[in-house]
């Protein structure tokens, strides 16, 4: 073979070897995509941040499982997420994730499993949750222990204390399972009765159980409305409340108190309102609570004591002897019109706790005749809640007026009455100071 032919073969082989080496070298590099001269890596996925909520549940509840899927590449791509509970596939999600970004992928499933621990697997990430057995029925009792009031919204009427109001309470309790129940305080079906008679800064021990259920639902809601019925307008009847509760069927989260307020003939009659709800996770509010109820103007006006229990009934909360804003004394002024037959009289009532001491004084002033006033005796008498007379004083009117200091201690709890009676042919002014 000639030297020329041999050289040609060597050149061709050399070129072939070089091309083969270049091709081989190119195939060993990562595959890249180029656009506008910029190299981009393909989609590459990782999963992290496994979330399981809740970690503890009751059978039948829903569980949410989530993971964070991240695309480490430059190019968008599709990724399949497989959710498993105890090795059984419960959901498959295909997700598109842009390059260099992440996306949360989740699924919800109703868990109909018996009590125990269960594993979760999502594309290699593992976790667990537990299922509780059905909870035991929880009996619930609700009792209103006391009320204390700042402004009783009394109405001025001859012969009565102008600081006094006539107060009706309606309590409605709902629990998400049983039908809502209404309870009237002091009577269940008002039919013209006056309710409680309380003065400004008065209080009353009620100890009134308003609710009892052997088992309840997901929550307990207590709504209490206090309103004045001294105007003798139409009372809110049991039929009114039952009709209102019927309208709330299917809407257990409706605010009952707002609907109760709509039943009052005049919004100005609202003395105070209380509403609060507790979930099963909050033990249905079991315990004792004290809270202010706001009146029509949004002022904290009515203080309410409330007890909730399951099995063991706690002793009632006691009404406070004083509370914020309570004056050291109250001054009451009356005009005593002339009356020589039965006499003119006024009555002051105060709800007292056993052992509480009340002190005060009265002063009667006015015209003193030069002629004989045939009947001018003034008497002050005090009666306890049973109608027993616990204090008595009488005297005749004098030229410079009449003044008397008094004091007594309540031997039993309840509403006490201070009655002043005056017989005269002339009108006179009575001023009485009572402390506290």
């Amino acid at each position: 073979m000639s030297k020329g032919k041999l050289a040609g073969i060597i050149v061709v082989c050399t070129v072939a070897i070089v091309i083969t080496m270049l091709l081989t070298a190119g195939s060993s590099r990562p595959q890249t995509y180029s656009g506008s001269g910029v190299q981009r890596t393909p989609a590459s996925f990782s999963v992290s941040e496994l979330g399981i909520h809740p970690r503890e549940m009751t059978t039948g509840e829903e569980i949410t499982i989530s993971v964070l899927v991240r695309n480490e590449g430059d190019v968008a791509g599709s990724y399949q997420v497989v959710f498993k509970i105890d090795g059984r596939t419960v959901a498959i999600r295909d997700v598109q994730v842009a390059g260099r970004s992440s996306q949360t992928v989740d699924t919800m499933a109703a868990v109909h499993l018996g009590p125990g621990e269960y594993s979760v697997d999502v594309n290699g990430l593992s976790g667990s949750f537990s299922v509780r057995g059905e909870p035991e029925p929880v009996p619930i009792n609700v009792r209103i222990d006391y009320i204390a009031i700042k402004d009783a919204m009394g109405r001025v009427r001859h012969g009565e204390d102008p600081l006094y109001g006539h107060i009706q309470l309606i309590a409605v309790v709902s629990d998400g399972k049983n039908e809502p129940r209404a309870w009237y305080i002091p009577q269940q079906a008002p039919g013209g009765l006056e309710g409680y008679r309380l003065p400004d800064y008065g209080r009353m021990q009620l100890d009134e159980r308003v609710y009892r259920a052997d088992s309840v639902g997901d929550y307990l809601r207590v709504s209490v409305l206090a309103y004045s019925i001294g105007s003798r307008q139409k009372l809110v009847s049991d039929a009114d409340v039952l009709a209102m509760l019927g309208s709330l069927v299917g809407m257990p989260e409706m605010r009952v108190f707002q609907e109760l307020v709509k039943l009052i003939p005049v919004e100005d009659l609202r003395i105070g309102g209380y509403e609060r709800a507790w979930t099963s996770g909050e033990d249905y509010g079991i315990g004792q609570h004290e809270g202010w109820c706001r009146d029509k103007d949004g002022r904290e006006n009515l203080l309410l004591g409330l007890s909730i229990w399951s099995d063991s009934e706690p002793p009632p909360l006691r009404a406070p002897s004083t509370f914020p804003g309570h004056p050291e004394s109250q001054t009451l002024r009356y005009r005593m019109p002339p009356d020589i037959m039965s006499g003119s009289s006024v009555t002051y009532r105060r709800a007292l706790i056993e052992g509480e001491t009340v002190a005060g004084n009265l002063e009667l002033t006015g015209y003193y005749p030069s002629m004989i006033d045939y009947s001018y005796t003034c008497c002050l008498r005090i009666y306890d809640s049973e109608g027993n007379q616990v204090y008595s004083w009488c005297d005749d009117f004098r030229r410079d007026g009449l003044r008397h200091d008094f004091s007594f201690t309540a031997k039993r709890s309840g509403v006490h009455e201070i009655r002043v009676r005056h017989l005269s042919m002339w009108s006179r002014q009575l001023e009485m100071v009572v402390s506290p």
Side-chain angles (χ1 to χ4, degrees):
M1 180 181 295
S2 66
K3 291 182 178 180
K5 288 183 178 179
L6 180 61
I9 292 172
I10 292 173
V11 170
V12 171
C13 291
T14 302
V15 171
I17 292 171
V18 170
I19 291 173
T20 302
M21 291 176 65
L22 288 173
L23 290 174
T24 304
S27 64
S28 65
R29 296 175 184 169
Q31 188 178 8
T32 61
Y33 299 85
S34 62
S36 304
V38 179
Q39 291 185 335
R40 297 196 299 165
T41 57
S44 176
F45 297 95
S46 64
V47 291
S48 61
E49 299 183 23
L50 173 63
I52 303 172
H53 182 78
R55 292 276 183 173
E56 185 177 354
M57 69 192 67
T58 303
T59 183
E61 291 186 47
E62 285 191 333
I63 186 172
T64 300
I65 306 172
S66 64
V67 292
L68 185 69
V69 177
R70 178 168 180 78
N71 185 352
E72 306 288 354
D74 296 315
V75 179
S78 177
Y79 186 72
Q80 188 175 81
V81 182
V82 181
F83 298 87
K84 296 181 179 180
I85 295 178
D86 257 21
R88 183 174 63 86
T89 300
V90 295
I92 298 175
R93 299 283 185 267
D94 292 314
V95 59
Q96 282 286 128
V97 185
R100 300 297 176 184
S101 62
S102 58
Q103 183 175 329
T104 298
V105 184
D106 61 22
T107 187
M108 295 181 65
V111 177
H112 297 283
L113 299 170
E117 290 283 333
Y118 295 91
S119 64
V120 173
D121 179 89
V122 183
N123 289 41
L125 295 180
S126 60
S128 64
F129 65 91
S130 61
V131 176
R132 302 183 301 265
E134 288 292 334
E136 293 293 324
V138 179
I140 291 292
N141 303 268
V142 180
R143 183 185 64 218
I144 295 181
D145 293 333
Y146 72 82
I147 55 173
I149 193 168
K150 289 183 179 180
D151 180 4
M153 298 185 187
R155 304 292 187 265
V156 178
R157 290 187 295 274
H158 168 62
E160 294 193 14
D161 184 348
L163 300 180
Y164 259 80
H166 299 257
I167 300 170
Q168 175 76 56
L169 283 83
I170 303 176
V172 176
V173 183
S174 55
D175 60 28
K177 176 182 179 181
N178 304 291
E179 290 186 3
R181 302 179 196 174
W183 193 273
Y184 291 87
I185 306 170
Q187 63 280 326
Q188 294 189 47
L193 301 179
E194 290 188 337
Y196 289 120
R197 303 188 68 203
L198 284 176
D200 290 353
Y201 296 99
R203 67 258 196 272
M204 179 166 284
Q205 194 70 34
L206 301 178
D207 302 340
E208 183 94 18
R209 188 185 299 196
V210 299
Y211 185 77
R212 160 75 187 179
D214 292 330
S215 64
V216 294
D218 299 328
Y219 64 87
L220 180 75
R221 174 179 283 105
V222 179
S223 307
V224 180
L225 171 66
Y227 67 101
S228 171
I229 57 177
S231 64
R232 295 291 187 173
Q233 298 192 40
K234 175 181 177 292
L235 301 179
V236 178
S237 69
D238 51 354
D240 296 330
V241 176
L242 290 174
M244 180 274 291
L245 295 176
S247 69
L248 301 183
V249 173
M251 295 183 290
E253 297 302 321
M254 178 71 73
R255 296 182 65 83
V256 175
F257 177 74
Q258 294 177 354
E259 299 302 313
L260 278 176
V261 171
K262 294 177 183 178
L263 299 179
I264 305 176
V266 180
E267 169 66 8
D268 286 352
L269 301 179
R270 173 178 157 192
I271 292 174
Y274 176 90
E275 183 170 61
R276 188 169 175 185
W278 299 269
T279 64
S280 57
E282 298 170 303
D283 291 329
Y284 302 104
I286 290 175
Q288 295 185 300
H289 311 271
E290 294 179 286
W292 282 101
C293 307
R294 297 184 180 274
D295 65 9
K296 62 184 178 61
D297 297 317
R299 300 173 302 178
E300 292 183 336
N301 188 48
L302 185 74
L303 183 62
L304 182 75
L306 182 74
S307 293
I308 302 173
W309 73 94
S310 180
D311 298 315
S312 179
E313 181 175 0
L317 291 168
R318 308 308 298 174
S321 57
T322 60
F323 45 95
H326 195 293
E328 294 183 0
S329 64
Q330 290 177 279
T331 300
L332 304 102
R333 297 178 175 88
Y334 307 91
R335 172 183 171 271
M336 308 293 284
D339 191 328
I340 60 172
M341 299 300 293
S342 59
S344 60
S345 63
V346 295
T347 301
Y348 172 78
R349 298 173 180 85
R350 170 72 68 83
L352 300 176
I353 306 300
E354 181 180 349
E356 185 175 358
T357 298
V358 173
N361 63 76
L362 67 80
E363 186 172 11
L364 189 67
T365 58
Y367 176 68
Y368 184 81
S370 57
M371 59 180 290
I372 297 176
D373 187 358
Y374 290 100
S375 186
Y376 47 83
T377 299
C378 178
C379 290
L380 177 145
R381 294 184 173 91
I382 300 175
Y383 299 87
D384 65 15
S385 58
E386 301 293 326
N388 302 309
Q389 183 175 286
V390 296
Y391 187 93
S392 179
W393 165 87
C394 290
D395 204 348
D396 292 337
F397 188 75
R398 301 181 178 87
R399 184 180 301 277
D400 58 351
L402 196 60
R403 179 182 174 85
H404 178 69
D405 297 324
F406 62 90
S407 175
F408 71 97
T409 300
K411 298 190 183 312
R412 56 167 51 90
S413 299
V415 176
H416 287 58
E417 293 187 351
I418 301 175
R419 302 176 188 171
V420 179
R421 183 168 175 263
H422 177 239
L423 287 85
S424 176
M425 297 172 61
W426 287 271
S427 175
R428 294 195 173 110
Q429 298 296 320
L430 172 68
E431 180 173 294
M432 186 162 56
V433 178
V434 182
S435 175

